[in-house]
Amino acid sequence: MLAENMRQEWLLWLGSERRAAALTLETYGRDLAGFLGFLTRHLGGEPDLAALGQLTGADFRAWLAEEASESRGNATRAKKLSAVRSFLRYVEREKGIANAAIGLVATPRAKKPLPRALTVVDAQTVAREIAEISDNAAIQARDTALFTLLYGCGLRISEALGLNRSDAPLPGSDAPLRVTGKGGKTRIVPVLAIARDMTQRWLRLHWQAEPDAPLFLGARGKRLDPAIAQKALRDFRRLNGLPEHATPHALRHSFATHLLAQGADLRAIQELLGHASLSTTQRYTAVDTAQLMATWRRAHPRA
């Protein structure tokens, strides 16, 4: 039996038994047809089921290499490999022809997207002007303090909202902020004077005096919900024409990117962000390089 005939049978099975969507069937069918087309060229003839069972790891890697040469990214190649694996499992189940080599082929790993930072001007605009979206003085002070702290200390939104009143960084002190991050790991972060000032302004309007009260309160007196902070910035960015990636987490990316651009040591940035691995922090070097190249292309007369 030719592999192409088996492909058609597999697609019918996916549609009738698995209730696969029409778009899924189209994509799987196209991906598998491409694989079988490669095998026809690679093996010197249209493959049958016996040929599928005899394919080696080198055959699969040759196919993936050809896909890469045609500018297929890792995510795309991983998706196509998944379709081939699913098809070969069907062949084994229905026809008893197994291919052990496919299980040894490594799935191409999709590259993590680069962190998307704001420009220095946009990040500062958020911290300085976020208050304009509310008419309530307490909400204005709270949001200004929160977003100044996010950008000034590189905090995750969950870390900032997890702070209590007793943790508040205040003027007249140079004590760093003790932050509890992922996995309960604690780190020490220095605090800018402006962040201390904005925190003090907010505490003057804070309506709970207990030391263990949440530093950032919602309207009902409970710990502020991250969704409320995200909505505040979403509304602000749309009113002010900021990019759609202007989110609370983008302020953390901006903190790291702007420090790196000013010559900060990568290991120091790792400590400030609380990254367990330096490789995570190293992604910011790619961001900085990308921004440098973009500036060069805009400014250089021969770029």
Side-chain angles (χ1 to χ4, degrees):
M1 183 179 185
L2 290 176
E4 172 58 24
N5 295 336
M6 196 67 185
R7 182 183 77 94
Q8 296 294 340
E9 182 180 314
W10 176 61
L11 292 173
L12 286 173
W13 175 79
L14 284 176
S16 61
E17 298 295 327
R18 300 296 296 272
R19 305 292 184 185
L23 183 59
T24 299
L25 292 174
E26 179 184 350
T27 302
Y28 275 22
R30 182 174 61 250
D31 290 346
L32 192 56
F35 173 67
L36 296 180
F38 164 80
L39 290 181
T40 298
R41 299 187 303 275
H42 183 65
L43 302 175
E46 190 172 357
D48 57 15
L49 298 188
L52 292 181
Q54 296 169 3
L55 294 175
T56 67
D59 296 322
F60 291 113
R61 287 190 290 272
W63 166 60
L64 291 172
E66 182 179 276
E67 290 288 318
S69 71
E70 295 177 359
S71 300
R72 306 284 200 278
N74 282 7
T76 298
R77 291 188 296 140
K79 177 182 67 68
K80 292 187 175 189
L81 182 59
S82 176
V84 170
R85 283 181 170 140
S86 178
F87 172 66
L88 292 178
R89 285 194 300 269
Y90 178 79
V91 171
E92 180 178 1
R93 185 173 62 250
E94 297 297 318
K95 303 298 181 181
I97 299 175
N99 184 294
I102 188 68
L104 303 177
V105 178
T107 300
R109 297 181 63 178
K111 294 181 179 178
K112 290 185 178 180
L114 291 178
R116 301 186 69 185
L118 303 178
T119 65
V120 172
V121 171
D122 285 349
Q124 291 177 344
T125 296
V126 171
R128 290 171 180 166
E129 301 177 18
I130 188 70
E132 71 181 34
I133 64 170
S134 175
D135 296 326
N136 183 295
I139 300 302
Q140 291 176 339
R142 181 199 69 189
D143 288 353
T144 300
L146 172 60
F147 286 100
T148 301
L149 203 60
L150 290 177
Y151 177 47
C153 296
L155 304 185
R156 299 178 179 91
I157 185 69
S158 60
E159 294 171 345
L161 298 185
L163 296 172
N164 291 332
R165 181 166 182 145
S166 59
D167 300 317
L170 297 174
S173 170
D174 59 359
L177 186 64
R178 184 176 295 274
V179 179
T180 301
K182 288 184 176 180
K185 183 180 178 182
T186 301
R187 69 183 188 277
I188 302 300
V189 183
V191 184
L192 296 172
I194 184 64
R196 295 181 185 276
D197 291 341
M198 294 303 103
T199 301
Q200 184 178 53
R201 289 187 187 182
W202 156 232
L203 287 180
R204 291 186 186 126
L205 301 172
H206 194 290
W207 51 92
Q208 292 185 17
E210 297 82 2
D212 60 349
L215 176 57
F216 296 105
L217 295 171
R220 298 181 179 179
K222 296 184 178 180
R223 197 174 297 275
L224 182 64
D225 190 315
I228 301 299
Q230 290 161 352
K231 182 181 184 302
L233 185 47
R234 182 165 62 249
D235 292 343
F236 178 80
R237 77 185 181 220
R238 290 174 180 172
L239 285 172
N240 290 272
L242 298 182
E244 284 297 302
H245 69 272
T247 63
H249 203 67
L251 292 174
R252 174 174 162 88
H253 293 325
S254 304
F255 166 84
T257 303
H258 299 164
L259 281 179
L260 185 64
Q262 293 299 313
D265 177 72
L266 197 62
R267 185 71 71 176
I269 295 175
Q270 177 193 2
E271 293 295 325
L272 292 172
L273 293 176
H275 286 160
S277 170
L278 185 62
S279 63
T280 304
T281 316
Q282 284 175 328
R283 294 193 299 153
Y284 290 102
T285 63
V287 174
D288 195 44
T289 300
Q291 292 176 344
L292 178 64
M293 294 304 294
T295 301
W296 174 79
R297 290 188 184 97
R298 288 195 303 267
H300 198 286
R302 293 185 178 275

